[in-house]
Amino acid sequence: MDYQGVIDQQRLFFNTNTTKDTSFRIKELKKLKNILQKNEKLLYESIYADFKKSEFETYVTELSIIYHEIDLALVKIKKWARKRKASTGLANLPGRSYIIPEPYGSILVIGAWNYPYQLSLCPAIAAIAAGCTVILKPSEMPSHTASTMASLINQNFDPAFFKVIEGGVKETSGLLKVKFDKIFFTGSVSVGKIIYQAAAKHLTPVTLELGGKSPAIITKDIHINMAAKRLVWAKFLNAGQTCIAPDYVLVESSIYDQFLSAMKDHINKADYEVAHHNYTQIINDKNFDRLNNLIDPDKIYVGGLGNPEERVIPPTILKDVSFSDKVMQEEIFGPILPVLSFDSIEEAITKIKTLSKPLSCYVFTKNKTVKNKILNEISFGGGAVNDAVMHFAEQSLPFGGVGDSGIGNYHGKYGFDTFSHFKSILQKPFWIELNLKYAPYSAKKLKWLKRIIG
């Protein structure tokens, strides 16, 4: 494919200023929502063919989030795109200052496979809301969902405005050779580095939504049953294939056994099975084998090795794990939950800091001092207190990582901001002009400037 030709076509369209009209953006977002709603059955069938994800989970974790992003943008676009007042200092009076949000231009969105609709379309929605043109490259791993998105979008949108390009590494590499105005990528740290290096050659800004080993810290004063229930749901949603899923749990020693037992009870109550529509397959054989190799049979508390023919690994808890174990050396990204113990909160914080900054961190405690200590001392992208994963659904919160877990953020207004440049303007009238800044300079002028400027 002629990738340069595709981007040239989008640049020509962008330069017509059509996308700068908020009415155009609203019309296109309404069209997108209408297309998705009319084709929900096809969307459900496609994702089920890829990794047996149920209609319930697909709606809750993918389509509902997409619809909410569109609905919020439809209500707020005109406000977000409005010129914003800024204060003006004495040196520039009687001038006025303001900021104009303007779209970056032509955007490349590279989606992820684990939530293939949401993690592809939500960034695209934000880019459209900001007034950009979009080329969307969905992950090739869930091939049915990628094909469905390509079909629905390419048949209904002008490719000069919004186009899906399918393919794998070859196609992504080809796209990265072309200069975009912004690149948005969701995926692994290793691929994120490749994206960043490719973007740097063109001085293209990037937003990288990556991952990492997100901890959950459990103190002895919590409501054990409720904390275990929330943690089990968050971990085994989508069979653990969630970038913000709790990657490991640190439990205060005095309740270690109780908490393990409570999690086991909730796993049994949920009765996770693909046939029960509350569980999914592992996306492919490569990931299945990687995950199976992380399970130490001697440390299995619940669950165990998976079925390669079905690509299903049961919800698995590993006990008596240490930071030196194999399962603690990489992000798990699957239904395996190592549970470690700690005696003091200082010890837990020190251990967490030995690893890269995580995308998320979850604190389960009733102790305000402990909560504040963790939130103040551990650097992470975002998280929750006494819950897990649900901060992702809050449109008023920016979603993104820090350090190895990512660069930049999005969701709601933060998504609009991510794809916008904020142009700074100072405007002055002609009817007055002080001569203090003009030559000839003098001690008297300097004295007055110091009074004005400070």
Side-chain angles (χ1 to χ4, degrees), residues 3-22:
Y3 300 117
Q4 186 63 57
V6 173
I7 190 67
D8 287 346
Q9 185 183 25
Q10 290 211 341
R11 287 196 193 286
L12 283 172
F13 182 74
F14 180 78
N15 287 334
T16 66
N17 296 317
T18 302
T19 66
K20 292 186 177 181
D21 183 351
T22 54

Side-chain angles (χ1 to χ4, degrees), residues 136-415:
L136 171 60
K137 165 57 185 66
S139 171
E140 73 280 7
M141 289 166 68
S143 58
H144 295 87
T145 57
S147 178
T148 294
M149 281 190 285
S151 174
L152 293 178
I153 290 169
N154 292 344
Q155 289 177 17
N156 290 283
F157 289 90
D158 183 346
F161 168 63
F162 189 15
K163 181 177 178 61
V164 175
I165 294 177
E166 293 183 82
V169 174
K170 177 183 176 183
E171 287 73 18
T172 303
S173 299
L175 284 166
L176 290 174
K177 291 177 182 177
V178 178
K179 179 177 173 57
F180 287 87
D181 296 304
K182 177 105 186 216
I183 296 174
F184 188 106
F185 168 77
T186 304
S188 67
V189 174
S190 58
V191 178
K193 291 178 180 179
I194 296 171
I195 303 294
Y196 205 2
Q197 289 172 347
K201 293 178 182 178
H202 300 292
L203 293 179
T204 299
V206 298
T207 295
L208 302 177
E209 298 294 344
L210 308 177
K213 295 190 75 64
S214 298
I217 305 159
I218 315 294
T219 65
K220 63 185 178 183
D221 61 354
I222 49 120
H223 189 298
I224 291 177
N225 184 62
M226 184 59 72
K229 182 178 183 178
R230 291 173 179 173
L231 198 61
V232 164
W233 175 84
K235 175 60 183 181
F236 299 111
L237 179 71
N238 204 37
Q241 298 168 113
T242 305
C243 59
I244 54 172
D247 192 89
Y248 64 101
V249 185
L250 282 162
V251 182
E252 198 159 358
S253 300
S254 60
I255 62 163
Y256 186 79
D257 291 332
Q258 284 177 273
F259 197 75
L260 282 171
S261 179
M263 285 198 293
K264 181 178 181 179
D265 288 345
H266 283 292
I267 288 172
N268 290 335
K269 286 178 184 176
D271 197 13
Y272 288 101
E273 294 280 353
V274 170
H276 297 164
H277 308 296
N278 64 351
Y279 209 54
T280 66
Q281 291 178 317
I282 304 305
I283 186 65
N284 57 23
D285 292 335
K286 180 181 177 181
N287 276 275
F288 178 90
D289 292 340
R290 180 187 65 81
L291 289 166
N292 240 17
N293 289 332
L294 293 178
I295 299 173
D296 183 344
D298 295 332
K299 298 192 176 184
I300 295 172
Y301 177 75
V302 174
L305 298 175
N307 181 342
E309 293 181 3
E310 297 293 329
R311 290 203 325 266
V312 173
I313 296 174
T316 299
I317 293 177
L318 304 180
K319 66 176 294 189
D320 300 327
V321 176
S322 71
F323 274 79
S324 62
D325 286 355
K326 185 178 180 180
V327 75
M328 293 299 293
Q329 304 310 306
E330 61 180 81
E331 182 182 4
I332 295 169
F333 218 73
I336 304 165
L337 185 60
V339 184
L340 301 83
S341 65
F342 69 89
D343 294 315
S344 70
I345 197 64
E346 289 78 13
E347 173 195 352
I349 291 172
T350 298
K351 287 290 188 181
I352 291 169
K353 285 183 172 181
T354 64
L355 304 178
S356 297
K357 295 177 182 180
L359 181 57
S360 297
C361 180
Y362 306 112
V363 186
F364 289 81
T365 186
K366 293 180 181 178
N367 188 314
K368 186 176 180 180
T369 301
V370 169
K371 177 199 73 174
N372 290 336
K373 184 176 180 64
I374 292 169
L375 296 182
N376 290 333
E377 294 187 18
I378 297 175
S379 180
F380 56 93
V385 177
N386 298 330
D387 205 350
V389 169
M390 288 303 296
H391 66 294
F392 184 88
E394 192 55 60
Q395 289 179 311
S396 63
L397 295 175
F399 178 79
V402 60
D404 285 357
S405 60
I407 300 170
N409 52 55
Y410 70 124
H411 282 191
K413 180 181 180 297
Y414 300 97

Side-chain angles (χ1 to χ4, degrees), residues 17-59:
N17 296 317
T18 302
T19 66
K20 292 186 177 181
D21 183 351
T22 54
S23 298
F24 173 83
R25 307 179 205 178
I26 289 169
K27 181 190 71 168
E28 297 301 307
L29 288 175
K30 284 181 177 177
K31 184 204 293 187
L32 177 59
K33 183 178 180 181
N34 185 52
I35 291 165
L36 295 175
Q37 288 180 325
K38 283 186 175 180
N39 291 278
E40 277 191 7
K41 187 173 186 294
L42 175 60
L43 295 169
Y44 291 139
E45 290 171 350
S46 299
I47 201 166
Y48 188 83
D50 283 326
F51 54 112
K52 301 292 189 289
K53 191 167 182 174
S54 71
E55 288 188 16
F56 185 93
E57 282 202 12
T58 300
Y59 184 81

